[in-house]
Amino acid sequence: MVVQQTHQSTGRVTRRRVRTRANLLQAAFAVFAAKGFGRVSIEEVCEAAGYSRGAFYSNFDSLDELFFALYRERADLIAEQVADALAGDGPDLDVPTSVDRVTEVLLLDRDWLLVKTDFLVHAARDPAVAQSLLEHRARLRRAIADRLARARGHTALPAVLGDADSAAHAVVAAYDGVTVQLLLDKDADGARGWLKQLLTALLTDGSGHHA
């Protein structure tokens, strides 16, 4: 009976800790997006989440660790969503439909782009952080390249792109360019339309029809 109560107590503590960590990450996302990483204190994150500094330090050693955990969580989710969006059955690739799906997944809200840009700036100055970012970008490219590779022989890609890996690099590069514009003009609908045009032009003859 004592053992059972201990397990139940441990389970409650674990669930509470998971919930606390999730709430801290959610609050930090909003604060980082509003003020920018480097301008935010632990106290501000705790206040936004409704927790004490003790709750913060029971989950994270530093604000840097929280920031990186937040980025990895969101980045992994996006990579999974892209993989799911491209995981259609059969070898044929419906380029316009796939472009629509990927565009909807990649272009999230502007707050995410602000946080991601902060992370990119930090990565540019810290090799260890840069490696984390490179790993995410590689995962994203692999999800795209794997789908393009499955379509080889069934759906023609422009010869200038070379292989599926090169085509995936081009897709991610197009996304990077569009998001820079979105950060400045805040026109999400315009950015989504532009990205669809760019990706269609990259992956087809530009007409929106596939071979």
Side-chain angles (χ1 to χ4, degrees), residues 11 27 32 45 51 55 110 115 117-118 136 145 169 189 192 209:
F32 288 146
V45 172
Y51 292 119
R110 188 169 175 271
V115 172
T117 301
D118 275 344
H136 159 64
H169 273 272
D189 290 337
R192 185 175 292 109
H209 300 290

Side-chain angles (χ1 to χ4, degrees), residues 121-140:
V121 172
H122 280 274
R125 296 189 173 99
D126 186 325
V129 180
Q131 186 59 40
S132 177
L133 181 59
L134 287 170
E135 288 170 2
H136 159 64
R137 290 172 68 82
R139 182 180 174 187
L140 189 60

Side-chain angles (χ1 to χ4, degrees), residues 94-103 155-158 161 170-171 174 192-210:
D94 183 341
V95 173
T97 299
S98 294
V99 165
D100 284 346
R101 290 175 180 169
V102 171
T103 301
T155 302
L157 293 174
L161 290 179
V171 169
R192 185 175 292 109
W194 185 26
L195 184 58
K196 287 181 180 180
Q197 291 175 353
L198 284 175
L199 295 185
T200 299
L202 276 171
L203 299 177
T204 70
D205 60 3
S207 67
H209 300 290
H210 63 282

Side-chain angles (χ1 to χ4, degrees), residues 12-158:
R12 286 195 295 270
V13 170
T14 300
R15 287 194 296 272
R16 184 166 64 247
R17 181 166 185 173
V18 169
R19 186 167 57 251
T20 299
R21 179 184 175 89
N23 289 340
L24 283 167
L25 287 170
Q26 183 177 5
F29 177 81
V31 176
F32 288 146
K35 295 188 175 183
F37 184 74
R39 299 181 179 180
V40 173
S41 67
I42 290 175
E43 288 77 9
E44 287 175 298
V45 172
C46 291
E47 182 179 355
Y51 292 119
S52 65
R53 285 175 63 92
F56 179 93
Y57 283 114
S58 70
N59 288 275
F60 303 101
D61 291 334
S62 66
L63 207 56
D64 280 16
E65 183 184 346
L66 181 150
F67 185 60
F68 301 152
L70 173 65
Y71 180 85
R72 285 192 297 269
E73 178 185 78
R74 298 293 177 114
D76 287 347
L77 175 62
I78 291 172
E80 289 171 7
Q81 289 174 330
V82 168
D84 289 344
L86 294 172
D89 294 331
D92 292 330
L93 179 65
D94 183 341
V95 173
T97 299
S98 294
V99 165
D100 284 346
R101 290 175 180 169
V102 171
T103 301
E104 293 301 323
V105 171
L106 283 176
L107 270 179
L108 300 179
D109 55 36
R110 188 169 175 271
D111 285 348
W112 161 245
L113 298 177
L114 287 167
V115 172
K116 189 181 80 165
T117 301
D118 275 344
F119 194 85
L120 176 61
V121 172
H122 280 274
R125 296 189 173 99
D126 186 325
V129 180
Q131 186 59 40
S132 177
L133 181 59
L134 287 170
E135 288 170 2
H136 159 64
R137 290 172 68 82
R139 182 180 174 187
L140 189 60
R141 287 196 304 269
R142 281 196 301 271
I144 298 169
D146 287 349
R147 184 62 187 97
L148 295 176
R150 292 202 304 274
R152 286 184 71 84
H154 301 272
T155 302
L157 293 174

